[in-house]
Every structure is written in structure tokens, then in C-alpha cells.
Amino acid sequence: MKGIIFRALEELVVTNYGMDQWERLLEQSNLADRYFLGPKSYPDEELIALVTVISSTLNKPQPELIRDFGQYLFGFLSRSHKDLVDQFDRFDTLIEGIDGIIHKEVEKLYAEPNLPSILVQRISNNELHITYDSPRKLCFCAEGLIHGAASYFGTDIHLVHETCTHQGAEHCTFRVTLTS
Amino acid sequence: MTDSNLDYKKAYLRERAARDELERLLEQKTRHLYEVNQALEEKVAILERQKSLLLKTEKMATLGTIAAGVAHEVNNPLAYISSNLESLMDFNKTIRDLLVLANELIDSDLCDESIKQRLNAMQTTIPFSMMADEIEDIGGDVLEGVRRIAGIVSNLLNFSRPKENKLKDIKLDEVVNRMIKLAASQLRSIRLETAIDEVPPIYCNPDTFGQAVLNLLLNAKDACESELHRKSEIKVSLSKEKEWLRFSVEDNGIGMTDETITRIFEPFFTTKMVGKGTGLGMSIVYSFVEEHHGRIEVDSVFGVGSKISLFLPVTGDSN
């Protein structure tokens, strides 16, 4: 997992709960001496450890926590990679451009980014069907990212997580309806 | 918040801002590097295409050079095939008469004397015994001539046909022998000495190697033609020397000046007359040897002759 994801988590925790809390989380996750750099890769287990500790500290279920983090992550990424996000003028064109534009740019910037596979199919003018596939199974994060993107463009959406790998499905699918 | 906490927070925020800034700079550089790399890859692809075109140009030029010789080479067997067929035509009337007589014999009561007379009349120009001998020779000669032409055409086609530009295990001795045959008509007036050992196969591009061999042979021939005071000689050898295969072409032609030696591998450099050489031959030899991690030795004395040796590693690990 790329350091930029950890940096977003760090910012989220420090902004909302303070530096002490971040230090404690690192200690409780056995990462006391860890610092994160955006382009560097870190073991996936470190993210899982942090999420587990945060979930238990806040007494918040992991799916909900990861979803919230995904939403925050979009805001973080849109600030750090404004030029990239500015290439899109609407929520739905950004979602459709994930594979062809955003992931291509990520591949330019990061070595071995291990990106998820995201297939977007337009069902109608206001409906998209998204297939998410990743061995990391971070579909709740993807859900949060989609909500984050919608907020960024001021678009109201209704998202249904139709099938989920956590429920034994082969891959996750989302149906996103633009309601505004 | 206490003062120390405030200081700590300020320090943390400053450090975080530094990380942000550094990551931005790194991303800019990475993006730039990626774009430069893309441009470089495109240029390499263009160069590869140009190289392939140059190879084709040189090949066409070589084909032009050997075409005249090949025409002559084909003409020789054609001449004796034609002459043999003419002889066969001379036998034609007699053979036809014999067949008529045989046919009449089957269902007639011709007497022996009459048959003898007719048979003798048939061999007044060419005796039957001579015809019997010659028919066998004619058939053999015609067949030999046709085979020779087929061999020449096959060699020419094999050289000119576009090849897959792929590396494979090849026996250099087979390629060298094939190229010597192909250039035979060009080397007709030269005393050619060959010492081609059977060598272990190496992993290389047979098409480019064949072109390199032909270029060296034709260069040697041109060098000999520029030196008119002695009988032209070319020695071609292939042998295994420890971990290397050595292929050499030595001539007693005009030789090269020091300046020419330093420039022979430059593309488009030629000492031949305008229209006679593309100036690509030796650069193709050079790039072939480079690609196969080999080396070239050039020994030449102006007015005495030249010896060009290609060394290719036996392991042939050009990957």
C-alpha cells in the first residue's frame, strides 16, 4: 500500500483527534517509529493494524470507518493532485475516467502501484454500474471515494453496493444513480 | 494547550508541510522522467524502424550487385541445356521413323531384308549406337543444368525473401557456404581459398549474419578489382578458437589507408565509386557483431591487402 494512503489517514486522525491520538495509534499498532512517505510502499498489514485499532478506539465498525476514510481520502487526493482532478468537469466523467486517465497517471508516478481493477459501465444518463476487483478487498474504501467524488462536484448520488466479495461474491459491484 | 504542546504541533505541521513539498517535487520529477522515457522509447522505435530500412536498402543494393552475375550463372547451364535439346531434335526424325517401323512390324509381313534396308537408311546421318550413347548424356546434362538453375534461383530467393528478424540457433558454416555459393558468380575471376570448419551452432540472426558475410566477400572482391598488378586471391575461413567463432575474409586487394580504417564502420562512408556502394555494408557488419557481443579485427595495409575477422561468442548469449 502506497504511503500516500497512510498520509491521508494520518491527516484525518491528527486533524480530528490530535497528534497525541495518532502517536498512540501508531504505538498500539506496533508502528511507534513509523513515518510515512507518499511514494513509498508499506505492508498492507500496517493499514489493517491501524484500522483495527482505530475501529476499536472509536467503537466504530470497520466497514463504516473505512467508508468514512474513503470519503476523506478523495478530498485529500483532490488537494494533492488538483491538476488531475481538474481534468474532469463532472462526477460521472471522473468515475468513467478512473481506469483510462487516473490509473494511468498513478502508474506514471508510482512504481508497482498495485491498482484495483475498476470497470465502469454507463447504464443511462444518470446511472453507472461499477465493478471493483482487488485482492485487498477495500470495496468500502471505494464506496467512500465515490461519495467523496460526488461531494467534490456537488452531485447527489444514491449508491447501492449490489454484490460484495465480503459476502462471497466474485467481485464487488456498485450501482450509482445521480439524483441531482 | 501548553506551550510545549503548541511548539510540538508547530514542529509537526512544519515537518508535514516539508514532506508534502518533497513529495510534490518528487512527483514532478517522476512525471518528467516518465515523459522523457516515453519520448526516448519512441525515438528508439523510430531508430529500430530506420535500421530495418537501412538493412533492406543494403540488401537491395547487394541484390543489384549480384543480379548480373546470377544472370550469367544461369546463362551457362541454359546454353548447354539448349544445345542438348537441339541435339535431341536432330534425333527426332530418326526416332519417329523407328516408331513407325515398329508399328508396321507389329501387324505386317515385312521381310528381314526390307527391314534392314530401312533401318540402315535411318542411321546414315547418325548411327544408332551414337544416338543411344548421346540420349543418355543429353538427359543427364539437361537434368544437371536444370538443377543448377534451380539451385541458383533458390539461393537468390532465400537471400532476397523477407525474413523474420529473429534470433535462433544457427550453424555459421552452413550460412557461410550458402553465401559463398550466392556470390560465386561475382568471385569467378578470383582464386578463392576456403577453410570452413564445421562449428557448433550459436544463437544469432541468420539473415543479418548472411548479409554481413556477403558484404565482406563483395568488399574483398571490389578491393581485388582495384588492384590490377597481381592475381586476385580471397581466403575465407571459419573456425572455433576457444570460446569464440572466428570468421575471416582476407584479400590481396588494394588495402585501406589508416584514415579509411578509422571510418569504415561509419554509415554511408564508402570509397567505392558513386552508385557502386551504399556505404552501409560495414556498418551493418559492425551492428551485427555488436548485437551479438562480438568484436571485429581489421588488419589492412594499403597496397597489400586486408583481413577482416569477426569474433562471435560460442555461448551466443546475445540476450
Side-chain angles (χ1 to χ4, degrees):
Chain A
M1 182 71 71
K2 287 293 166 195
I4 193 165
I5 307 298
F6 290 90
R7 291 214 55 198
L9 185 65
E10 175 185 336
E11 190 188 87
L12 173 67
V13 173
V14 171
T15 307
N16 291 293
Y17 305 101
M19 289 179 300
D20 295 351
Q21 188 63 37
W22 177 244
E23 290 302 327
R24 267 198 297 280
L25 285 174
L26 287 176
E27 277 169 23
Q28 286 168 20
S29 310
N30 295 322
L31 299 168
D33 297 324
R34 172 65 85 219
Y35 57 90
F36 295 105
L37 295 173
K40 208 174 158 185
S41 292
Y42 300 89
D44 289 357
E45 291 74 21
E46 294 190 4
L47 186 71
I48 294 164
L50 283 166
V51 167
T52 308
V53 173
I54 296 171
S55 167
S56 115
T57 308
L58 298 178
N59 200 20
K60 199 171 191 175
Q62 281 194 23
E64 198 181 322
L65 181 74
I66 294 170
R67 202 177 287 122
D68 288 350
F69 171 61
Q71 186 153 3
Y72 184 85
L73 180 61
F74 187 89
F76 179 87
L77 294 173
S78 65
R79 285 197 306 280
S80 61
H81 294 82
K82 195 169 181 311
D83 291 350
L84 182 58
V85 178
D86 282 351
Q87 290 182 35
F88 305 96
D89 55 355
R90 294 201 320 265
F91 160 77
D92 50 339
T93 54
L94 179 136
I95 297 294
E96 286 179 309
I98 292 174
D99 193 52
I101 299 173
I102 297 177
H103 281 181
K104 291 275 179 300
E105 185 68 14
V106 176
E107 280 167 353
K108 277 188 207 174
L109 297 178
Y110 301 114
E112 295 175 15
N114 296 323
L115 294 164
S117 154
I118 303 215
L119 296 172
V120 181
Q121 193 185 358
R122 182 175 280 278
I123 307 296
S124 66
N125 268 348
N126 61 349
E127 202 171 18
L128 299 171
H129 186 263
I130 303 167
T131 307
Y132 166 93
D133 210 353
S134 167
R136 291 192 177 113
K137 295 187 173 185
L138 287 172
C139 52
F140 300 115
C141 187
E143 215 181 296
L145 279 163
I146 294 168
H147 279 294
S151 303
Y152 180 85
F153 288 101
T155 308
D156 292 331
I157 59 163
H158 178 65
L159 186 150
V160 182
H161 195 147
E162 287 180 327
T163 61
C164 184
T165 47
H166 294 286
Q167 308 293 325
E170 199 179 332
H171 38 245
C172 293
T173 53
F174 307 111
R175 187 170 290 267
V176 180
T177 310
L178 285 71
T179 56
S180 66
Chain B
M1 193 178 273
T2 64
D3 283 353
S4 73
N5 272 349
L6 199 63
D7 287 347
Y8 173 51
K9 186 168 186 187
K10 275 169 71 178
Y12 169 77
L13 291 176
R14 195 163 51 240
E15 181 272 337
R16 198 169 75 182
R19 266 191 288 164
D20 288 344
E21 183 64 22
L22 280 174
E23 284 175 13
R24 253 194 309 279
L25 285 172
L26 185 65
E27 280 192 5
Q28 275 172 14
K29 290 285 173 201
T30 309
R31 191 178 287 110
H32 176 67
L33 201 63
Y34 179 88
E35 282 159 5
V36 169
N37 191 43
Q38 287 284 100
L40 198 64
E41 278 179 11
E42 278 168 26
K43 283 192 175 130
V44 168
I46 291 170
L47 280 176
E48 283 291 323
R49 277 200 297 277
Q50 283 173 344
K51 189 179 151 196
S52 156
L53 267 176
L54 285 179
L55 192 65
K56 211 177 275 177
T57 306
E58 173 64 14
K59 196 170 182 176
M60 292 315 290
T62 313
L63 265 179
T65 308
I66 60 176
V70 166
H72 184 87
E73 193 86 338
V74 170
N75 243 358
N76 278 341
L78 268 184
Y80 65 74
I81 288 172
S82 167
S83 148
N84 279 314
L85 288 176
E86 274 170 23
S87 301
L88 204 59
M89 290 305 284
D90 289 344
F91 303 160
N92 193 27
K93 185 177 178 309
T94 311
I95 293 170
R96 195 162 46 81
D97 289 348
L98 271 173
L99 290 173
V100 170
L101 176 63
N103 199 34
E104 284 175 18
L105 272 175
I106 294 169
D107 45 19
S108 75
D109 52 355
L110 287 172
C111 70
D112 290 353
E113 195 53 36
S114 150
I115 293 168
K116 264 187 191 169
Q117 273 176 9
R118 284 179 65 176
L119 286 172
N120 280 328
M122 285 178 210
Q123 58 175 344
T124 48
T125 325
I126 310 167
F128 288 156
S129 57
M130 187 192 281
M131 247 191 271
D133 290 345
E134 284 200 17
I135 278 178
E136 199 174 337
D137 290 346
I138 286 170
D141 286 354
V142 167
L143 201 61
E144 167 61 20
V146 169
R147 279 185 185 146
R148 269 186 64 182
I149 293 174
I152 293 162
V153 171
S154 155
N155 259 343
L156 194 61
L157 278 178
N158 195 34
F159 176 71
S160 60
R161 192 177 294 130
K163 307 282 195 311
E164 282 182 47
N165 205 20
K166 280 183 182 166
L167 302 175
K168 53 175 111 165
D169 277 330
I170 60 158
K171 295 199 74 191
L172 298 192
D173 46 300
E174 289 175 2
V175 179
V176 171
N177 284 324
R178 213 164 44 237
M179 291 303 128
I180 289 175
K181 272 187 200 159
L182 190 64
S185 56
Q186 291 289 320
L187 307 173
R188 210 178 312 113
S189 59
I190 290 165
R191 203 176 84 79
L192 183 68
E193 199 176 298
T194 57
I196 313 296
D197 292 351
E198 203 173 306
V199 291
I202 65 165
Y203 194 64
C204 79
N205 183 329
D207 193 25
T208 327
F209 177 67
Q211 177 76 53
V213 171
L214 211 50
N215 289 347
L216 293 178
L217 288 174
L218 295 179
N219 279 352
K221 172 223 153 204
D222 287 341
C224 287
E225 283 175 355
S226 302
E227 169 53 68
L228 305 171
H229 300 102
R230 52 180 171 260
K231 170 78 185 147
S232 300
E233 283 178 14
I234 295 178
K235 292 178 190 165
V236 183
S237 62
L238 175 70
S239 56
K240 183 173 180 291
E241 293 180 2
K242 293 182 182 167
E243 296 308 307
W244 297 89
L245 296 187
R246 177 191 183 128
F247 171 70
S248 300
V249 176
E250 185 177 359
D251 66 70
N252 64 348
I254 190 72
M256 290 182 271
T257 62
D258 288 346
E259 197 213 335
T260 303
I261 293 174
T262 58
R263 299 190 61 194
I264 51 168
F265 299 119
E266 283 178 25
F268 306 111
F269 173 77
T270 181
T271 55
K272 294 176 188 171
M273 286 169 70
V274 177
K276 246 203 132 186
T278 59
L280 293 171
M282 288 308 286
S283 66
I284 285 170
V285 172
Y286 179 81
S287 66
F288 165 78
V289 173
E290 275 287 294
E291 274 170 23
H292 293 83
H293 305 293
R295 64 176 207 279
I296 304 179
E297 274 180 18
V298 179
D299 297 311
S300 185
V301 177
F302 187 69
V304 175
S306 303
K307 182 175 183 178
I308 314 283
S309 302
L310 315 185
F311 292 85
L312 298 167
V314 172
T315 50
D317 185 8
S318 46
N319 295 322

